[in-house]
Amino acid sequence: MLYKPFQDLKLSTLGMGNMRLPTVGERGPIDQEKAREIIERAYHQGVNYFDTAYRYHGGESEGFVGKVLSQFPRDTWYLASKMPGHMMNYKDGKLGFQGYLAGEEVRGISAIFEEQLEKCGVDYFDFYLLHNVAETSYDFYTNEELGVVRYLLEQKKAGKIRHLGFSTHGRADTIRNFLDKFPDTFEFVQIQLNYLDWDLQDARSKYQLLEDRGIPVIVMEPVRGGSLANLRPDCQEMLKAARPDDSIASWAFRFLQSLPGVQVVLSGMTTMEQMNENLALFSKNDPVTEEDKALLQKVVAAMADLVPCTACRYCCEACPQGLDIPKLISMHNELNYSKRLGTLNFTLNAMGENELPSACLGCGACQKLCPQNIAIPEVLGKFNKALQDAKANG
Ligand code: SF4
Ligand code: SF4
């Protein structure tokens, strides 16, 4: 395992993300046996950074990860969790949840934080983040009266947080403003970074901003929810021609190895195969060359018409129709690329009317929760129209 220094710590460059643990059935609770094996293997192979959050796996992830790690000495692993301010609002002195948590009781920021410590079974978080500081949550996190950052700095002083940071899907200027608002406060920042988003979501500017300020970067979505591990055939061929023995996913990780400001690459591993492949990739430093980067740019150019969904499923929680939005978007991408129904027909035939894009009401509730700012109702509308056209044309 490769390690990099972080202040007085030595962090594994591969971090274990805990939002995509194996589940019982497609969307059921965590499959405890399988998930335990994966986390234990990560630990025994030298991974020491474990990332979770208040609502991962519907709130089950924190407690589960804490329980599995508790069998190992506390100073041999580092736990990161997050304050769910991106799902909260503060109006007229009242704190509330929004989105799919609307209506759930919030006793206060301190109650959430204490609940997280208790669920994880720890006295302190090694790393603690504000979850998704972005244009939609900026006012919440900077509200003087509520004082979220002030409260967390107090917890840091009290030893309950060792290192404070934030995750973000916001724009580079939003990140800059937030860092300026709280100077010398945040020790690390977690951003979505991969070779596709380098240009598509301007991850380049965010990375550059953080590197210029000497702030270590924790990477999320290194393979974009798996899509960079499973490119369409023409793109796969381009990469295979250059390095026949390498997996497609290895290109995404080697791209990140070429960025010196990257501290930890979080990978949400669902299977032991993914874990083993990642462990092998992070056992040697093999960054992409300039030639490799030029090839990746060609691959990105070929994929530019794809809807950039990472399958995080945030949107699904808000959908009154219960639509499996990432699945529909993935089908849309496939149809858009292949221009014919082909094997999609099998999937479509197995779906009920209430699961098809035609069931979308266009209400837009999903879009507000999408960290990738995808115009979901518009995409589903286009997909519906493309399906009708494809069917009409046989
Ligand atoms: S716009 Fe469509 S997909 Fe989005 S929440 Fe409404 S019904 Fe669901
Ligand atoms: S549409 Fe957006 S919120 Fe929904 S799964 Fe995709 S990236 Fe996540």
Side-chain angles (χ1 to χ4, degrees), residues 307-316 325-326 329 366 369-374 376:
V307 176
C309 171
T310 64
C312 68
R313 306 196 72 83
Y314 289 171
C315 55
C316 299
I325 297 167
I329 292 179
C366 49
L369 294 178
C370 177
Q372 313 301 330
N373 295 320
I374 295 170
I376 299 169

Side-chain angles (χ1 to χ4, degrees), residues 6 41 114 117 120 136 172 182 184-185 196 222 248 277 280 291 306 325 329-330 332 340 343 348:
F6 175 89
R41 174 140 178 88
E114 292 296 333
L117 285 173
C120 293
T136 46
F182 300 103
D184 302 322
T185 300
L196 181 58
I248 299 302
E277 186 185 1
E291 204 180 320
L306 297 183
I325 297 167
I329 292 179
S330 142
H332 163 81
R340 53 190 284 274
T343 53
L348 286 164

Side-chain angles (χ1 to χ4, degrees), residues 268-294:
M269 294 165 272
T270 310
T271 65
M272 200 56 98
E273 289 70 33
Q274 288 167 346
M275 168 62 71
N276 288 337
E277 186 185 1
N278 284 348
L279 288 170
L281 284 169
F282 282 84
S283 66
K284 65 176 192 303
N285 198 24
D286 184 19
V288 288
T289 60
E290 287 307 312
E291 204 180 320
D292 292 337
K293 281 187 195 166

Side-chain angles (χ1 to χ4, degrees), residues 315 318-321 323 325 359-367 376-377 380:
C315 55
C319 180
Q321 299 292 80
L323 290 173
I325 297 167
C360 172
L361 307 171
C363 67
C366 49
Q367 194 168 330
I376 299 169
L380 295 189

Side-chain angles (χ1 to χ4, degrees), residues 2-295:
L2 298 169
Y3 294 89
K4 275 190 182 179
F6 175 89
Q7 300 180 20
D8 57 341
L9 306 177
K10 217 175 63 168
L11 299 182
S12 56
T13 48
L14 173 64
M16 167 97 204
N18 291 281
M19 70 183 284
R20 293 196 175 95
L21 292 169
T23 54
V24 179
E26 211 178 325
R27 292 193 235 165
I30 293 172
D31 183 324
Q32 305 228 351
E33 203 184 316
K34 283 192 190 148
R36 172 178 282 276
E37 275 176 16
I38 290 174
I39 296 173
E40 287 177 349
R41 174 140 178 88
Y43 175 83
H44 288 303
Q45 293 299 312
V47 172
N48 62 14
Y49 191 98
F50 294 85
D51 174 82
T52 181
Y54 188 67
R55 290 301 299 180
Y56 285 176
H57 283 283
E60 203 191 345
S61 173
E62 282 183 327
F64 180 75
V65 175
K67 199 165 130 203
V68 177
L69 291 175
S70 68
Q71 65 184 300
F72 306 120
R74 181 65 183 91
D75 60 351
T76 60
W77 44 270
Y78 305 115
L79 184 61
S81 197
K82 312 182 188 80
M83 173 60 66
H86 64 311
M87 294 174 162
M88 298 168 82
N89 54 31
Y90 185 68
K91 270 189 207 141
D92 306 326
K94 264 195 95 185
L95 196 59
F97 278 121
Q98 58 188 12
Y100 70 93
L101 290 179
E104 277 198 23
E105 193 202 356
V106 193
R107 282 174 292 133
I109 295 295
S110 59
I112 290 179
F113 182 72
E114 292 296 333
E115 179 193 337
Q116 290 180 292
L117 285 173
E118 196 183 326
K119 267 166 86 179
C120 293
V122 293
D123 300 325
Y124 62 90
F125 286 113
D126 304 275
F127 294 83
Y128 194 80
L129 303 88
L130 302 171
H131 203 152
N132 194 15
V133 173
E135 295 69 42
T136 46
S137 58
Y138 192 89
D139 289 348
F140 179 86
Y141 283 128
T142 55
N143 187 296
E144 295 282 345
E145 192 181 69
L146 184 62
V148 180
V149 175
R150 190 172 59 237
Y151 169 77
L152 294 178
L153 285 172
E154 283 163 15
Q155 301 318 301
K156 191 174 168 193
K157 223 176 187 172
K160 294 184 180 183
I161 293 172
R162 295 281 161 91
H163 302 285
L164 188 61
F166 62 90
S167 68
T168 176
H169 288 282
R171 294 191 302 265
D173 57 348
T174 305
I175 300 173
R176 184 179 296 105
N177 291 342
F178 197 66
L179 290 170
D180 289 344
K181 171 104 183 141
F182 300 103
D184 302 322
T185 300
F186 299 107
E187 301 161 79
F188 63 101
V189 174
Q190 184 168 316
I191 60 171
Q192 176 169 323
L193 184 56
N194 53 62
Y195 66 78
L196 181 58
D197 288 320
W198 190 248
D199 290 315
L200 200 65
Q201 290 209 359
D202 201 19
R204 180 202 303 261
S205 301
K206 300 179 200 179
Y207 171 80
Q208 206 57 60
L209 164 70
L210 297 169
E211 196 186 36
D212 289 349
R213 295 189 181 209
I215 299 176
V217 173
I218 309 281
V219 172
M220 56 182 158
E221 302 292 1
V223 285
R224 264 189 160 260
S227 58
L228 298 186
N230 193 21
L231 299 175
R232 62 193 203 193
D234 58 334
C235 297
Q236 293 205 26
E237 274 167 29
M238 289 159 82
L239 298 182
K240 280 285 174 194
R243 290 178 59 127
D245 297 334
D246 286 10
S247 71
I248 299 302
S250 70
W251 286 82
F253 290 112
R254 290 180 51 242
F255 171 78
L256 294 171
Q257 284 185 350
S258 72
L259 303 172
V262 168
Q263 176 80 54
V264 172
V265 176
L266 290 174
S267 182
M269 294 165 272
T270 310
T271 65
M272 200 56 98
E273 289 70 33
Q274 288 167 346
M275 168 62 71
N276 288 337
E277 186 185 1
N278 284 348
L279 288 170
L281 284 169
F282 282 84
S283 66
K284 65 176 192 303
N285 198 24
D286 184 19
V288 288
T289 60
E290 287 307 312
E291 204 180 320
D292 292 337
K293 281 187 195 166
L295 179 59

